[in-house]
Amino acid sequence: MIRRTGNRFSVNAMSAISTRGRTHFMAFTESFDAKVMCRFPARTVRHFDRKVHLVVDRHSAHRSKTVRAWLADHENEIELHFLPSYSPELNPDELVNADLKRSLPHTHRARNQAELAAETRRFFHRRQRQPHIITGYFRSPARQLHPRRGNPMSF
C-alpha cells in the first residue's frame, strides 16, 4: 500500500533550448501570464552578449500588450519569433516538456509542491549538463519535413 495525501499540486516550467545544446529554464508555481513571460526573457538575456532570438508558440501571454511593451524596451537584446498556429511538431521545446513529464515520476514521487519544484529544477540542471540530449531534440523525426507545411522553421 502506498500512502498519498490526495492533494493535487502543480509546478509550471519554461525553457529555451538552442541547437548548440544550451538550455535556460525557469520553474514557477504561479499561473503563466504576461508578467511571468517578461521575467523569463529578462533572465535569459543576461547570459548572452549578443541579441537573443526566441522562438515561441502563440500563447496569449506571448502576444500580450505587456510583453510587446517589454520587448520594445529591449529590442536590442531580444526578439521573438512566432511558430505557426497549432504546430507543436515544429517546436523542439515540446520534446523537453515530454522528457520532463516522462522523467519525473521515475526519479521521485513528490509529496508537495516544493518537492515537485525541486525535482523539476533538478531535471533541468541535469539537462544543462547533457547538451547531446538537447541537440537531439532538434534531430527528432518530428522536426523533419512535414508533407503539408513544407520545411520546418530553422531553430
Side-chain angles (χ1 to χ4, degrees):
M1 179 184 278
I2 300 173
R3 295 200 178 269
R4 296 188 192 165
T5 65
N7 295 335
R8 296 182 59 91
F9 47 86
S10 64
V11 171
N12 295 312
M14 291 182 67
S15 61
I17 60 175
S18 78
T19 55
R20 294 181 179 159
R22 287 186 72 174
T23 183
H24 299 277
F25 73 94
M26 182 173 80
F28 53 96
T29 56
E30 62 264 29
S31 297
F32 179 62
D33 59 10
K35 187 174 95 177
V36 172
M37 177 56 195
C38 290
R39 222 169 55 220
F40 181 69
R43 289 173 49 150
T44 303
V45 297
R46 285 187 269 153
H47 297 280
F48 295 92
D49 56 354
R50 62 185 185 278
K51 189 171 187 174
V52 174
H53 294 269
L54 195 60
V55 179
V56 297
D57 60 17
R58 295 189 177 271
H59 189 282
S60 59
H62 297 152
R63 298 177 286 118
S64 70
K65 288 180 184 178
T66 305
V67 171
R68 285 195 310 254
W70 187 90
L71 289 168
D73 292 341
H74 298 85
E75 64 184 17
N76 295 333
E77 300 172 77
I78 190 164
E79 184 177 341
L80 291 189
H81 302 276
F82 292 95
L83 288 169
S85 297
Y86 305 108
S87 56
E89 73 278 1
L90 296 179
N91 189 353
D93 205 40
E94 293 293 338
L95 296 174
V96 178
N97 297 337
D99 191 11
L100 169 66
K101 290 177 181 180
R102 208 175 26 250
S103 297
L104 282 184
H106 299 293
T107 56
H108 174 74
R109 189 164 305 274
R111 293 183 183 92
N112 56 45
Q113 192 176 42
E115 283 185 19
L116 183 58
E119 287 299 317
T120 301
R121 288 183 188 94
R122 190 172 294 120
F123 167 83
F124 279 109
H125 285 297
R126 188 170 52 251
R127 286 295 177 260
Q128 284 178 324
R129 294 186 304 273
Q130 298 169 319
H132 60 284
I133 292 176
I134 301 299
T135 57
Y137 296 140
F138 290 91
R139 291 189 301 271
S140 164
R143 304 282 88 66
Q144 303 305 319
L145 182 67
H146 191 283
R148 290 183 304 219
R149 291 198 177 101
N151 284 320
M153 291 182 62
S154 171
F155 293 94

